[in-house]
Amino acid sequence: QVKLVESGGGSVQAGGSLRLSCAASGFTYSRYCMGWFRQAPGKEREGVARFYSSNTTMYAESVKGRFTVSKDSAKNTLYLQMGRLEPEDTAMYYCAAGASCGPNGGRAEYWGQGTQVTVSS
């Protein structure tokens, strides 16, 4: 059984930083995508950053240069280091995984429960 558990969300002021973690268990795909997606109230889910088994990373334009996605294979944990946070980054952040993800997570097979990030101005 695959389980994804996010942690690290919270409330910060604009310009601050947070690091999200996604601990994966039971996820043993050799070729995979793991990613971070977010959804703000009243808005559609959007992709934030994706990490592929090839070590390729992809970012939404809105977070390029501010966010970094990485993975610790030994711990089977995905991270999202977020810097220079803006109020527009406020959302529920979800970790997802699968053989592929899709730009907005539409092809991800497994999802975590989400962690809230709130950025105040």
Side-chain angles (χ1 to χ4, degrees), residues 3-111:
K3 190 173 183 181
L4 305 175
V5 180
E6 302 100 331
S7 60
S11 297
V12 295
Q13 290 192 326
S17 300
L18 281 174
R19 188 177 82 155
L20 306 184
S21 299
C22 171
S25 58
F27 185 64
T28 59
Y29 289 18
S30 58
R31 297 178 65 181
Y32 62 83
C33 170
M34 293 184 74
W36 291 98
F37 303 87
R38 67 187 181 188
Q39 188 164 22
K43 293 188 177 182
E44 293 188 355
R45 186 177 65 209
E46 63 173 346
V48 177
R50 287 169 273 163
F51 184 96
Y52 292 86
S53 51
S54 59
N55 287 325
T56 300
T57 56
M58 298 186 73
Y59 296 92
E61 284 296 325
S62 60
V63 307
K64 278 184 181 177
R66 300 190 297 122
F67 292 9
T68 301
V69 64
S70 61
K71 186 173 182 286
D72 184 329
S73 295
K75 296 180 179 179
N76 213 13
T77 298
L78 185 74
Y79 300 100
L80 184 68
Q81 180 68 49
M82 304 186 293
R84 289 185 284 147
L85 283 161
E86 303 169 354
E88 293 74 21
D89 295 316
T90 295
M92 183 71 80
Y93 283 69
Y94 298 92
C95 173
S100 62
C101 290
N104 295 318
R107 293 198 291 271
E109 298 166 60
Y110 306 102
W111 290 84

